[in-house]
Amino acid sequence: MMENQRKNSLERLAQKLLPQRSAGIFLEWRGFHRLVAEGIDGLLEYGDTRMTLGGGEHRIGVFGKDLEMRFLSETCIVIEGEIRKVCYLPEDADRV
């Protein structure tokens, strides 16, 4: 009984102290030609004028010219090219 209470207390403490994975997508621009997005869980669309990123409940559209994926991991992507616009997309939108 005491073991379960202790385990539950430790789990509650860990949830308060440790960063949550579903905290959203963190975007960092490096000039007008490089975008780093952390906290993604998928690349939903890839093209030289549009890329769509998924991150939990959110979808992010990256629009521009000559876009290229320079790095991709399970949670991070680096996009280079002439980035003109970055915006949240509705969940049900196929094209914006």
Side-chain angles (χ1 to χ4, degrees):
M1 180 79 166
M2 288 290 281
E3 185 67 29
N4 278 344
Q5 289 176 344
R6 183 171 180 220
K7 184 179 177 182
N8 289 340
S9 295
L10 287 174
E11 286 177 0
R12 285 193 303 270
L13 180 62
Q15 289 174 354
K16 289 180 184 177
L17 296 177
L18 298 175
Q20 300 297 311
R21 178 152 165 78
S22 62
I25 300 173
F26 174 79
L27 300 174
E28 178 181 337
W29 272 272
R30 296 182 181 170
F32 291 104
H33 297 284
R34 187 172 197 166
L35 175 73
V36 178
E38 297 179 21
I40 67 164
D41 55 23
L43 177 61
L44 306 175
E45 181 179 7
Y46 182 85
D48 65 343
T49 59
R50 173 189 167 125
M51 292 191 195
T52 304
L53 315 174
E57 299 175 4
H58 303 288
R59 289 177 44 181
I60 302 277
V62 180
F63 301 88
K65 182 178 175 186
D66 299 324
L67 299 178
E68 294 182 12
M69 174 181 53
R70 291 300 204 179
F71 174 80
L72 178 66
S73 73
E74 289 182 11
T75 60
C76 182
I77 187 170
V78 176
I79 298 171
E80 290 184 349
E82 187 179 319
I83 299 169
R84 296 180 179 166
K85 180 171 127 178
V86 177
C87 62
Y88 283 103
L89 299 173
E91 289 184 36
D92 58 351
D94 291 327
R95 297 298 263 174
V96 174

